[in-house]
């Protein structure tokens, strides 16, 4: 029984150690979404994850998988720095963008280099919102596996500048209320007071912040309010 408790305790410690190592290495390597990862990032991530899983259950020699995690993490961080400083290294490790379509021509050889067939290319186009390829000027396969599209000028969405309009600049909305509670830090940063928020909520039919699930401020005199009660519509 005592031996089992000791092994359980050691497993808990090595698991916590693996979590700490992964956290520190993630901070060192930088945060990336899966869609932003290069193939090298993906492989390193899987390998480090496997080593961390081994570390969590390795009771006799935990220093071996820990050493492997640290080495992989440091090498990945060094390569990331190298890619930032050297265009040649970036091209070799991350790869270069490939033009898949240009001015009505689909480049078959670049599709092969990107390991894409026509069906996959058409799927990327539909996901991007392009069902008519004649509307596209250029399609580029990026090094992270996504496809970027440049529409023809006659088929791109109109902008206010095209219509000689000059709309005022929108602001990022700031949460003032979350889960029925005022966010004092956000209010101070925006130069507002609790009383201002309560008056704005009252104008929209809310007696206090307790009736509000989320309230956002976008720079005007009113708030975008989502009620706590899902049956109630915003006023």
């Amino acid at each position: 029984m005592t031996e089992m408790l000791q092994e359980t305790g050691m497993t808990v410690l090595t698991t916590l150690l693996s979590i700490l190592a992964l956290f520190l290495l993630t901070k060192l390597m930088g945060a990336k979404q899966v869609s932003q990862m290069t193939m090298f990032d993906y492989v390193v991530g899987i390998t480090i994850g496997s080593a961390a899983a081994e570390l969590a259950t390795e009771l006799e020699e935990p220093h071996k998988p820990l050493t492997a995690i640290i080495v992989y993490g440091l090498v990945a961080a060094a390569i990331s720095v190298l890619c930032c400083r050297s265009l040649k290294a970036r091209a070799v490790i991350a790869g270069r963008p490939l033009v898949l379509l240009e001015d009505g021509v689909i480049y078959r050889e670049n599709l092969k280099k990107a390991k894409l067939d026509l069906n996959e290319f058409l799927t990327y186009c539909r996901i991007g919102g392009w069902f008519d390829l004649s509307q596209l000027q250029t399609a580029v396969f990026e090094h992270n596996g996504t496809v970027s599209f440049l529409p023809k000028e006659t088929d791109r969405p109109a902008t206010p500048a095209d219509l000689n309009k000059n709309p005022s600049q929108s602001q990022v909305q700031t949460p003032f209320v979350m889960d029925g509670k005022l966010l004092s830090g956000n209010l101070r940063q925006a130069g507002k007071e609790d009383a201002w928020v309560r008056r704005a909520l009252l104008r929209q039919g809310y007696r206090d912040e307790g009736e509000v699930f989320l309230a956002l401020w976008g720079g005007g005199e009113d708030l975008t309010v989502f009620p706590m009660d899902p049956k109630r519509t915003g006023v």
Side-chain angles (χ1 to χ4, degrees):
M1 184 68 176
T2 303
E3 184 179 351
M4 185 177 68
L5 290 175
Q6 289 178 345
E7 290 183 356
T8 302
M10 280 296 297
T11 301
V12 171
L13 289 176
T14 53
T15 300
L16 293 175
L17 179 61
S18 68
I19 293 172
L20 177 62
L22 282 177
F23 175 77
L24 295 176
L25 287 174
T26 301
K27 298 292 287 185
L28 176 66
M29 295 166 63
K32 280 188 178 181
Q33 298 179 5
V34 173
S35 62
Q36 297 173 324
M37 289 183 175
T38 63
M39 184 62 68
F40 178 78
D41 295 328
Y42 180 70
V43 172
V44 168
I46 290 177
T47 305
I48 290 179
S50 299
E54 183 179 351
L55 172 60
T57 55
E58 176 58 66
L59 304 181
E60 296 181 359
E61 296 179 317
H63 63 280
K64 290 184 177 180
L66 178 61
T67 302
I69 292 174
I70 293 173
V71 171
Y72 268 104
L74 292 177
V75 170
I79 289 177
S80 179
V81 172
L82 180 62
C83 289
C84 290
R85 296 183 178 180
S86 171
L87 292 176
K88 292 183 178 179
R90 189 184 311 167
V92 171
I93 296 172
R96 291 186 175 90
L98 295 171
V99 176
L100 303 180
L101 181 149
E102 178 74 30
D103 197 20
V105 178
I106 296 177
Y107 292 97
R108 186 176 180 182
E109 290 301 318
N110 285 351
L111 282 174
K112 291 180 180 179
K113 291 179 182 178
K115 305 297 189 295
L116 292 176
D117 58 36
L118 278 175
N119 285 331
E120 290 172 321
F121 174 62
L122 293 175
T123 299
Y124 274 111
C125 292
R126 291 192 294 270
I127 291 174
W130 300 102
F131 290 81
D132 185 352
L133 268 60
S134 66
Q135 296 177 334
L136 291 174
Q137 175 64 29
T138 307
V140 179
F141 184 78
E142 307 293 354
H143 68 271
N144 60 3
T146 61
V147 179
S148 302
F149 301 98
L150 175 66
K152 292 180 179 178
E153 286 298 306
T154 54
D155 292 299
R156 68 175 176 81
T159 65
D162 295 329
L163 305 175
N164 294 322
K165 302 291 184 180
N166 188 24
S168 57
Q169 179 62 50
S170 300
Q171 296 185 18
V172 176
Q173 288 188 313
T174 303
F176 277 2
V177 180
M178 293 183 72
D179 291 320
K181 297 180 181 178
L182 291 172
L183 303 180
S184 301
N186 289 358
L187 291 176
R188 286 195 300 270
Q189 188 175 4
K192 300 295 183 182
E193 299 178 351
D194 295 3
W196 184 92
V197 177
R198 293 191 175 103
R199 287 196 299 270
L201 292 175
L202 189 60
R203 287 197 302 270
Q204 295 178 249
Y206 298 92
R207 290 174 295 178
D208 56 47
E209 62 272 15
E211 298 181 355
V212 176
F213 185 55
L214 175 66
L216 303 168
W217 178 67
E221 291 300 317
D222 294 321
L223 300 172
T224 301
V225 181
F226 298 87
M228 189 73 73
D229 184 359
K231 297 181 181 179
R232 176 176 179 173
T233 57
V235 180

